[in-house]
Amino acid sequence: MGTTTIATGRLLLRRWRAADREPFAALNADPAVMEHFPAPLTRGQSDALADRIEEGFEEHGIGLWAVEAGGAFIGFTGLSVPRFTAHFTPCVEIGWRLARSAWGHGYATEAARAALADGFGRAGLTEVVSFTAVSNLRSQAVMRRLGMTHDPAEDFDHPALSDDSPLRRHVLYRLRAPR
């Protein structure tokens, strides 16, 4: 894998530690953090997600980095390979999830820029996508700040969500590697 940490001006992106699981479970249980997901996660579901994140690093050489600000775990940002089928898969997705206390500081954009640089550089990716529920305007703003582009013709119904879910319709953004 090579890279084990990525530093920005204010943040450290690193591989996960056992001590991250408790604050990760707390943010995954926060209804505000999980507003654009089907439901908050239980501790068991959160731990299973942390396990899948670590497996992603091992399987793909990329992953969702644990993010620290001021030495404290605040969430994750990074790259993953979606496990569902859609018109744009297979692909690599950039995503983030931060504790509510970390919102409004530009951390998601800062960390995502660093993860994208690693993905386009070390990992040699040529394109990255991002997607979210239509209602998730905060994440869409991060996507635009990253320079990602949105074509409404590519929006889709997330196959893992029921037909009657208000979160089913998703927007898709794309970013090509710099030349």
Side-chain angles (χ1 to χ4, degrees), residues 104-126:
H105 301 282
Y107 294 150
T109 303
E110 183 177 332
R113 282 190 179 126
L116 285 167
D118 180 62
F120 290 140
R122 179 190 58 80
L125 300 174
T126 59

Side-chain angles (χ1 to χ4, degrees), residues 1-162:
M1 152 118 188
T3 302
T4 57
T5 62
I6 301 171
T8 72
R10 303 179 295 164
L11 305 173
L12 179 66
L13 284 67
R14 59 165 174 75
R15 294 290 295 267
W16 290 67
R17 301 177 184 147
D20 299 331
R21 288 180 180 247
E22 186 172 332
F24 187 50
L27 78 88
N28 286 325
D30 183 332
V33 172
M34 299 302 287
E35 176 184 4
H36 302 287
F37 293 89
L41 301 182
T42 66
R43 175 62 190 257
Q45 291 168 323
S46 181
D47 286 347
L49 175 56
D51 291 340
R52 285 194 307 276
I53 288 170
E54 270 303 303
E55 291 165 6
F57 277 105
E58 300 306 321
E59 183 177 348
H60 303 291
I62 56 171
L64 298 168
W65 300 93
V67 179
E68 285 184 14
F73 174 89
I74 61 167
F76 70 70
T77 303
L79 304 169
S80 64
V81 177
R83 300 184 323 164
F84 62 85
T85 301
H87 71 275
F88 57 90
T89 62
C91 65
V92 174
E93 172 198 10
I94 182 135
W96 44 84
R97 186 176 305 165
L98 301 179
R100 200 171 354 160
S101 62
W103 293 1
H105 301 282
Y107 294 150
T109 303
E110 183 177 332
R113 282 190 179 126
L116 285 167
D118 180 62
F120 290 140
R122 179 190 58 80
L125 300 174
T126 59
E127 182 182 68
V128 172
V129 303
S130 192
F131 49 85
T132 190
V134 170
S135 59
N136 191 346
L137 301 180
R138 294 174 64 95
S139 279
Q140 291 177 57
V142 173
M143 294 171 198
R144 288 190 299 275
R145 282 193 293 274
L146 294 171
M148 302 187 91
T149 59
H150 173 235
D151 177 352
E154 289 203 294
D155 293 351
F156 67 103
D157 291 334
H158 198 296
L161 298 172
S162 65

